[in-house]
Amino acid sequence: MIPAEFDYYRPKDMAGVLSLLEEHGDDARVMAGGHSLIPMMKLRMADVPHLIDLQDVGGLSDIEVGPDAIKIGALVTQADIIDHAGLTNVAPILREAALQIADPQVRYMGTVGGNVANGDPGNDMPGLMQCLDAAFTVVGADGERTIPAREFYEAAYMTAREDDEVLTGVTIPLPKGGYAYEKQKRKIGDYATAAAAVQITKDGGSCVSASIAMTNLSDTPIYSEAAGAALVGTSLDDAALSAAVAAMLGDIDPTEDNRGPVAFKNHVAGVILRRAIERAWSRA
Amino acid sequence: MKDDITREERVDNLKGMGCSRKRVEDARFTQGKGNYVDDVKLDGMLFGDFVRSPYAHARITNIDTAAALEVPGVLAVLTAADLEPLGLHWMPTLAGDKQMVLADGKVLFQGQEVAFVVAEDRYAAADGIELVEVEYEELPVVVNPFEALKSDVVLREDLVAEDGSIPDGAHGPRKHHNHIFTWDAGDKEPTEEVIANADVVAEETMYYHRTHPCPLETCGCVASMDKVNGKLTLWGTFQAPHAIRTIVSLISGLEEHNIRVISPDIGGGFGNKVGAYPGYVCSVVASIVTGKPVKWIEDRMDNLMTTAFARDYHMTGKISATKEGKITGLHCHVTADHGGFDACADPTKFPAGFMNICTGSYDIPTAYLEVDGVYTNKAPGGVSYRCSFRVTEAVYFIERMIEVLAIKLNMDAAELRRINFIKKEQFPYTAALGWEYDSGDYHTAWDKALKTVDYDGLRAEQAQRVEDFKAGKTRKLMGIGLSFFTEIVGAGPVKNCDILGLGMFDSCEIRIHPTGSAIARLGTISQGQGHATTFAQILASEIGLPADSITIEEGDTDTAPYGLGTYGSRSTPVAGAATAMAGRKIRAKAQMIAAYLLEVHDNDVEFDVDRFVVKGAPEKFKTMKEIAFAAYNQAIPGIEPGLEAVSYYDPPNMTYPFGAYVCVMDIDVDTGVPEIRRFYALDDCGTRINPMIIEGQVHGGLTEALAVALGQEIAYDDMGNCKTGTLMDFFLPTAWEVPNYETDFTVTPSPHHPIGAKGVGESPHVGGVPCFSNAVQDAFRPFGNTHTNMPHDHWRIWKTANELGLHG
Ligand SMILES: Cc1cc2nc3c(=O)[nH]c(=O)nc-3n(C[C@H](O)[C@H](O)[C@H](O)COP(=O)(O)OP(=O)(O)OC[C@H]3O[C@@H](n4cnc5c(N)ncnc54)[C@H](O)[C@@H]3O)c2cc1C
């Protein structure tokens, strides 16, 4: 549980970060809260000869609630999300999800940027961001670009971000309607057996839009467009729910681990999604 | 002379037995001022750490240490070849087997110690480990004990004779090269006959899975060899410091007086810290070789994967009864998976511990138990995780068999227990498997428990729930878990209990200081149990000095009297008895001093709370404080100066705490998530020394029971890879997962213990595991479930529901 030797840097601005990344290439990694990266280094599963701490880079810790969109800086912690009343007013799903991540100690350190950049299928925020159709802003030597969350994840620990790019923030269109983040886990501090993020709008008794994303049921988060589509135009009767679950099951691809075999995970994914949809609908 | 305080106030001032005295240890623990082994820092201290095997079974063809030795700060890399000339490449285990200290040509489990890297700091040691090149030749892996007994694969070539025959082991004949022992108790043929001719027989096969005690502080030590005076000091997380001293002396050849073993504060043991581990031996050798102190501390993965697992019992039972439910016979066979070496921590004559307490709290006339120990490619251990030598396995077995029998008889399981309990008037009761239960009043405890939880009301609610479930109104089932357990603790009488030939007595030595305060030293060692608090309370009541004026010291073999340490709930039954007896010796001498001072005959004074008074003249007295001073400043004819005593207590019998537990659980059949709605625990541990500490022990034991029943396991894949080496997968409950516990008690003092106390630290674990498990199983009983194996984690509960067709 002792990492290999590494050099530690704490640049004061993004230019400093980018030049270190350029200088050391693959041998350098940025660190935000460190609560995914440091365990990997201690297990010697990540070899990071040059560790660049982002904590002193200014301008990455703000939460801005605008008229159409929310901007969350990369270094905003999960605890900050939970504590921000203005954010909870407009996007309560963020708080509901953040409260189901790890435990308070981890949430004081873990950041939104680290959680979405990490690329671990167990992280909760990637699926959440896909459900909310967020976009990630990254900056590199060639300047800034924006990548939709739904196009960001390629495989476990593989994302559309280049190694020399830094994620600076997340932009989320103001969510509408009812929401739910439903997660089954074995204990506090555990990653999901299955989790579902759902955002639904309705008009009268009929579903107008539905966005659904699942966590830890494939090697990436799964935005299930088909599952959402199965609800639109329905009154969310049992047939519609079953159709949404069936569509979602067609999109996920869970693997067996200590949480259980594939059949169990599929079943639980269905149950969790159903509950999330029902809760979101009741709040829509 | 007159007193201005009442007798009651004098009693209160002592804070003796029965008082919920605050724990004196907590001031330092809650302020981060504890002194644990990793806090021991010595000048020039080095660090050692292990290269461990990635394979569960492999031959080692070469170890190249050259690159590791190049790492700045790495001073030495020890391998079996270095230890062999000293005869230390293997060491004896507590179970009469031997274990490799460092891999001697092969490895038998994943994580096995292969080489010991000694460096100036931990970082250099970790870097050195990466560079030790070990060449392995993989061998077929055997992880299932039933397959092991059929397999051609020989795990322990050292235990097969040159002609291929299988020599006897420490516990008699061995049937196969992977077989360790067969141990039995009771009457085989009569039991088989009773069962063959019974009205009703219930049979069940159950696996009590492998788990791990997982104390918050892992194992570790600091060895410091002083080459000038030839003395070795060894600090470590030892639950039995004196036994460790003797073992170190026996295997190292150092004279025992030149070895000082110190157990500083210990952050939980639960059996994990009873055994002797390769880390201790390697640290000692490294210190001798380098002439510097050497520290070794396990990390969490080392701890979970290599030191001392618990359980891993495959149990098959048959229980017979009359149509009315009176039990007539019990048969139990165990296939015990001991891993690569037999390193169980049991009294020598009991290779399966006290598994033969498996007739439980019931009057079962005929019984037979047979246990086969087996080698597999898993880590060694087999310790008593918060229990007394396999009692958890025994109690789980019988408390499941009772439920299975109740199903067969279509009877209420609470009633079945009631009609089979050993009756109060039957104590002392000799059980069919040999133990003499000292005391008990099971019916009173059971009735109190069932009444408190409104058992009949719960059953009615459960029946309604089943109706609602069948009608599609709910997806949650309700389970009522029952358990009535009898523990067997306080090992134990020297006539049948020893470890490596060391009798399992314990000791206390008391010195009263002239001003009326005292220090008492014991052969035990607290790991969180609060000995410094409770043993002072025993003494306060025995010698009439306030508990606050009595220091309790344990764990330093240079100062403490010899004892066998703390595990198996033995501290109160054995060392607690020694404390009371030593206190009584003090009191006997004090009586003579008092009589002298009061100028009366010895028999004319009597002890009263904190003083001796002249019989019939209570105004004439001498307080213990005054007597203590007199012991040091008066020349009393015929009496030596000073006031000290020592007692070595060999208990006449074990003690038998018992209890009645009820758990109410709701189970979501779709997700497999259980929710504990209520947990009621009635414990009878005899005389209650400190009710607050008892309650704390019950909470802790129940929490570890919940862990084991609902998810905590050490699991291996077919290749012998440990799948649960971190706390992400190894379930350690937090406050979040733990329900509110309701505690209760009855008091049935032990008739043979000087203060009637029986021990309590392990009861809640022993009784709790079957209670949680029974709750899960009971929820599914109306749908045809008889038994499912623990741990009842979400997916296994879901699987039960699925197999019973509850998912539509
Ligand atoms: C016990 C425990 C339980 C946990 N449980 C959960 C859980 O239930 N759900 C969950 O979602 N998470 C969980 N986590 C993870 C936690 O939320 C992490 O903090 C989070 O995944 C990563 O955030 P971080 O700020 O700590 O990132 P770090 O560990 O610092 O970084 C993680 C990765 O992201 C990269 N990175 C970080 N910031 C940036 C950036 N701005 N730009 C580009 N790359 C970046 C790093 O280089 C690294 O590869 C748990 C962690 C622990 C220790």
Side-chain angles (χ1 to χ4, degrees):
Chain A
M1 296 293 205
I2 288 185
E5 193 172 331
F6 59 88
D7 287 331
Y8 176 81
Y9 306 87
R10 206 172 165 111
K12 298 274 179 234
D13 53 27
M14 190 54 78
V17 175
L18 294 177
S19 76
L20 283 165
L21 281 172
E22 185 164 23
E23 184 184 343
H24 299 292
D26 271 1
D27 281 349
R29 288 270 276 278
V30 297
M31 177 177 80
H35 271 48
S36 287
L37 185 55
I38 291 176
M40 298 285 273
M41 289 169 65
K42 286 186 162 186
L43 291 167
R44 299 201 177 206
M45 286 158 81
D47 180 22
V48 184
H50 301 277
L51 185 69
I52 310 168
D53 193 335
L54 295 178
Q55 295 295 341
D56 281 354
V57 177
L60 297 178
S61 302
D62 301 324
I63 297 177
E64 290 169 41
V65 179
D68 309 313
I70 301 161
K71 280 188 175 356
I72 299 175
L75 288 188
V76 168
T77 63
Q78 292 142 15
D80 295 335
I81 301 258
I82 291 166
D83 288 345
H84 198 288
L87 186 64
T88 300
N89 273 338
V90 297
I93 193 172
L94 292 173
R95 183 169 196 271
E96 183 162 298
L99 280 169
Q100 296 180 67
I101 292 178
D103 51 45
Q105 287 98 317
V106 174
R107 298 197 294 252
Y108 283 121
M109 295 303 294
T111 65
V112 172
N115 200 295
V116 300
N118 193 28
D120 184 327
N123 283 131
D124 287 287
M125 295 218 157
L128 176 67
M129 294 301 164
Q130 291 192 334
C131 168
L132 295 174
D133 198 14
F136 303 152
T137 304
V138 299
V139 58
D142 303 332
E144 211 172 75
R145 63 182 181 122
T146 301
I147 311 168
R150 292 176 188 172
E151 291 165 21
F152 191 73
Y153 299 96
E154 295 166 352
Y157 301 103
M158 306 275 286
T159 68
R161 181 182 63 85
E162 297 297 332
D163 282 349
D164 57 358
E165 287 178 320
V166 178
L167 195 145
T168 54
V170 173
T171 307
I172 304 169
L174 276 191
K176 297 192 197 73
Y179 68 93
Y181 194 81
E182 181 86 21
K183 175 177 176 180
Q184 179 168 338
K185 56 187 171 188
R186 296 170 296 181
K187 58 175 176 183
I188 283 299
D190 193 18
Y191 294 95
T193 301
V198 175
Q199 195 81 37
I200 293 186
T201 60
K202 72 173 164 192
D203 187 13
S206 160
C207 172
V208 174
S209 71
S211 178
I212 290 172
M214 308 297 292
T215 290
N216 218 14
L217 294 160
S218 284
D219 68 344
T220 64
I222 294 295
Y223 170 64
S224 181
E225 197 172 357
L231 299 177
V232 175
T234 74
S235 61
L236 259 73
D237 52 5
D238 196 58
L241 284 171
S242 298
V245 167
M248 175 278 290
L249 290 175
D251 287 341
I252 63 171
D253 183 19
T255 49
E256 173 164 351
D257 60 18
N258 286 338
R259 294 178 185 85
V262 172
F264 166 69
K265 289 194 172 178
N266 276 327
H267 187 107
V268 167
V271 174
I272 291 297
L273 176 57
R274 213 169 239 276
R275 288 179 188 174
I277 293 172
E278 281 166 357
R279 196 159 76 235
W281 183 247
S282 75
R283 289 161 164 174
Chain B
M1 208 159 109
K2 275 200 70 165
D3 232 345
D4 43 9
I5 59 171
T6 65
R7 188 173 189 277
E8 208 170 290
E9 284 168 323
R10 289 195 278 123
V11 171
D12 287 349
N13 286 347
L14 291 184
K15 297 191 190 164
M17 288 199 289
C19 161
S20 279
R21 180 182 186 221
K22 290 240 169 76
R23 289 173 27 121
V24 296
E25 298 89 338
D26 289 349
R28 71 177 188 279
F29 291 154
T30 54
Q31 294 177 53
K33 294 286 184 338
N35 183 40
Y36 298 90
V37 66
D38 206 14
D39 295 320
V40 174
K41 295 191 173 97
L42 306 175
D43 276 352
M45 188 170 72
L46 307 176
F47 294 82
D49 203 352
F50 286 107
V51 175
R52 294 181 179 278
S53 170
Y55 299 109
H57 197 196
R59 219 167 282 295
I60 293 180
T61 52
N62 190 36
I63 302 178
D64 184 348
T65 61
L69 287 167
E70 295 290 306
V71 173
V74 171
L75 301 179
V77 180
L78 302 178
T79 65
D82 301 307
L83 300 185
E84 191 172 358
L86 309 167
L88 290 175
H89 54 320
W90 288 72
M91 64 179 183
T93 71
L94 297 182
D97 193 2
K98 54 186 181 139
Q99 173 177 354
M100 291 179 216
V101 172
L102 290 171
D104 184 18
K106 74 182 288 193
V107 288
L108 286 162
F109 63 95
Q110 188 185 50
Q112 188 177 329
E113 301 79 4
V114 174
F116 191 65
V117 176
V118 185
E120 280 165 3
D121 59 48
R122 283 169 200 223
Y123 294 87
D127 290 341
I129 286 169
E130 293 276 292
L131 295 176
V132 174
E133 280 172 36
V134 186
E135 283 168 32
Y136 297 95
E137 204 172 87
E138 284 184 73
L139 294 168
V141 173
V142 189
V143 288
N144 177 306
F146 298 99
E147 279 165 26
L149 287 178
K150 290 184 247 152
S151 174
D152 294 339
V153 179
V154 179
L155 301 194
R156 294 285 301 274
E157 283 104 344
D158 60 299
L159 300 180
V160 178
E162 299 217 334
D163 63 0
S165 63
I166 314 292
D168 284 4
H171 308 289
R174 295 162 57 228
K175 294 189 250 194
H176 180 269
H177 51 250
N178 295 330
H179 182 247
I180 310 173
F181 63 82
T182 300
W183 184 74
D184 72 349
D187 303 316
K188 189 169 195 281
E189 279 86 32
T191 304
E192 284 167 359
E193 207 173 299
V194 164
I195 291 174
N197 299 318
D199 291 354
V200 180
V201 180
E203 294 189 42
E204 194 53 73
T205 297
M206 55 189 96
Y207 175 46
Y208 198 145
H209 60 288
R210 179 177 276 236
T211 183
H212 193 282
C214 194
L216 286 188
E217 180 204 31
T218 59
C219 299
C221 70
V222 176
S224 181
M225 182 73 207
D226 184 330
K227 287 200 171 168
V228 176
N229 62 20
K231 287 199 187 272
L232 171 72
T233 308
L234 183 61
W235 290 262
T237 48
F238 309 127
Q239 287 182 241
H242 285 95
I244 290 286
R245 185 185 71 191
T246 301
I247 293 171
V248 171
S249 173
L250 290 173
I251 68 177
S252 71
L254 290 171
E255 278 198 73
E256 204 164 348
H257 75 105
N258 279 332
I259 304 169
R260 179 180 182 191
V261 174
I262 301 174
S263 292
D265 284 331
I266 296 183
F270 313 115
N272 183 223
K273 295 166 180 169
V274 174
Y277 296 123
Y280 306 158
V281 179
C282 289
S283 302
V284 169
V285 173
S287 181
I288 292 173
V289 170
T290 61
K292 293 188 173 165
V294 176
K295 179 185 274 188
W296 165 72
I297 306 281
E298 287 180 313
D299 69 22
R300 183 62 60 193
M301 289 174 81
D302 296 340
N303 180 254
L304 286 172
M305 290 172 64
T306 69
T307 48
F309 77 92
R311 322 287 152 87
D312 216 346
Y313 260 31
H314 297 261
M315 308 185 280
T316 304
K318 283 187 201 148
I319 189 164
S320 62
T322 64
K323 283 192 284 300
E324 295 72 35
K326 191 79 192 72
I327 301 172
T328 55
L330 180 74
H331 188 285
C332 177
H333 182 270
V334 180
T335 300
D337 186 339
H338 286 221
F341 305 97
D342 186 10
C344 290
D346 291 314
T348 306
K349 296 187 190 75
F350 298 89
F354 301 157
M355 184 64 198
N356 58 337
I357 192 77
C358 68
T359 51
S361 317
Y362 311 105
D363 183 11
I364 302 180
T366 332
Y368 180 66
L369 163 74
E370 186 181 51
V371 182
D372 282 299
V374 184
Y375 291 119
T376 61
N377 289 122
K378 296 183 187 171
V383 297
S384 323
Y385 169 8
R386 205 164 184 147
C387 78
S388 181
F389 313 113
R390 304 286 186 182
V391 177
T392 35
E393 289 91 326
V395 170
Y396 185 75
F397 171 78
I398 185 65
E399 288 304 288
R400 282 303 304 145
M401 289 310 294
I402 283 282
E403 296 277 324
V404 171
L405 179 62
I407 292 168
K408 187 91 180 187
L409 288 161
N410 196 21
M411 234 178 120
D412 178 79
E415 184 56 23
L416 180 59
R417 284 179 173 85
R418 189 201 315 275
I419 64 176
N420 284 291
F421 281 145
I422 301 161
K423 295 188 193 72
K424 189 178 171 183
E425 56 275 15
Q426 287 176 278
F427 291 96
Y429 170 86
T430 304
L433 295 178
W435 295 109
E436 186 189 291
Y437 293 30
D438 65 347
S439 58
D441 181 357
Y442 300 164
H443 287 93
T444 301
W446 197 227
D447 291 344
K448 187 175 185 188
L450 297 185
K451 188 156 174 273
T452 311
V453 300
D454 182 18
Y455 180 69
D456 294 337
L458 288 173
R459 284 290 175 208
E461 186 190 346
Q462 185 189 36
Q464 181 61 46
R465 183 72 74 84
V466 171
E467 289 310 306
D468 290 350
F469 183 85
K470 287 181 175 161
K473 290 190 213 158
T474 178
R475 294 295 294 162
K476 283 190 181 169
L477 295 176
M478 175 178 161
I480 303 167
L482 303 175
S483 128
F484 195 100
F485 65 92
T486 296
E487 263 241 274
I488 170 170
V489 306
V494 172
K495 63 179 187 289
N496 56 6
C497 290
D498 69 270
I499 288 186
L500 291 179
L502 303 167
M504 296 181 74
F505 59 82
D506 227 289
S507 57
C508 175
E509 181 199 277
I510 307 168
R511 295 182 189 177
I512 312 289
H513 306 316
T515 51
S517 65
I519 183 164
R521 297 188 172 100
L522 290 84
T524 44
I525 174 71
S526 183
Q527 304 125 41
Q529 292 91 336
H531 289 178
T533 308
T534 47
F535 287 135
Q537 290 181 256
I538 296 176
L539 268 185
S541 292
E542 291 290 343
I543 64 175
L545 292 173
D548 289 343
S549 301
I550 302 169
T551 294
I552 300 290
E553 202 181 87
E554 300 174 306
D556 183 340
T557 58
D558 264 10
T559 57
Y562 205 100
L564 266 272
T566 294
Y567 42 87
S569 260
R570 64 186 300 282
S571 298
T572 297
V574 192
T579 304
M581 297 310 268
R584 286 172 196 181
K585 289 185 186 174
I586 296 276
R587 213 161 81 189
K589 183 168 178 183
Q591 179 165 5
M592 293 192 279
I593 298 171
Y596 170 81
L597 297 173
L598 291 162
E599 296 176 18
V600 294
H601 192 272
D602 288 357
N603 290 334
D604 293 334
V605 293
E606 63 189 354
F607 186 68
D608 179 47
V609 185
D610 57 354
R611 63 193 56 186
F612 277 92
V613 299
V614 175
K615 285 180 188 165
E619 72 286 355
K620 287 190 189 151
F621 64 83
K622 286 289 168 192
T623 64
M624 282 301 294
K625 223 174 138 88
E626 292 168 315
I627 294 165
F629 202 68
Y632 290 90
N633 80 343
Q634 299 262 344
I636 305 172
I639 300 180
E640 286 179 5
L643 194 51
E644 298 188 3
V646 57
S647 168
Y648 284 80
Y649 188 79
D650 178 9
N653 191 3
M654 313 289 245
T655 61
Y656 296 78
F658 59 93
Y661 292 177
V662 182
C663 172
V664 185
M665 194 183 272
D666 292 310
I667 289 180
D668 182 332
V669 297
D670 293 319
T671 57
V673 176
E675 198 178 308
I676 297 146
R677 201 200 308 166
R678 191 164 181 197
F679 199 102
Y680 168 87
L682 178 152
D683 275 281
D684 191 321
C685 58
T687 303
R688 292 158 57 86
I689 300 164
N690 182 322
M692 179 198 72
I693 286 193
I694 290 173
E695 198 175 351
Q697 291 290 310
V698 172
H699 283 205
L702 288 175
T703 300
E704 285 182 321
L706 175 148
V708 169
L710 299 187
Q712 188 176 82
E713 74 176 315
I714 294 290
Y716 291 86
D717 69 12
D718 292 344
M719 298 300 295
N721 296 306
C722 178
K723 301 196 289 178
T724 49
T726 76
L727 296 184
M728 190 53 86
D729 287 309
F730 183 86
F731 176 43
L732 209 57
T734 68
W736 189 266
E737 286 83 21
V738 173
N740 182 46
Y741 299 121
E742 296 166 52
T743 57
D744 203 347
F745 62 95
T746 55
V747 178
T748 311
S750 167
H752 62 77
H753 187 280
I755 59 168
K758 294 181 173 178
V760 76
E762 306 179 326
S763 298
H765 188 69
V766 170
V769 176
C771 191
F772 286 109
S773 179
N774 282 344
V776 175
Q777 321 246 14
D778 182 67
F780 292 110
R781 177 175 169 176
F783 301 90
N785 173 62
T786 41
H787 175 80
T788 61
N789 285 328
M790 297 186 292
H792 305 294
D793 56 0
H794 298 173
W795 94 259
R796 287 182 178 93
I797 292 179
W798 176 88
K799 182 164 164 268
T800 302
N802 197 263
E803 285 169 358
L804 294 172
L806 302 183
H807 293 141

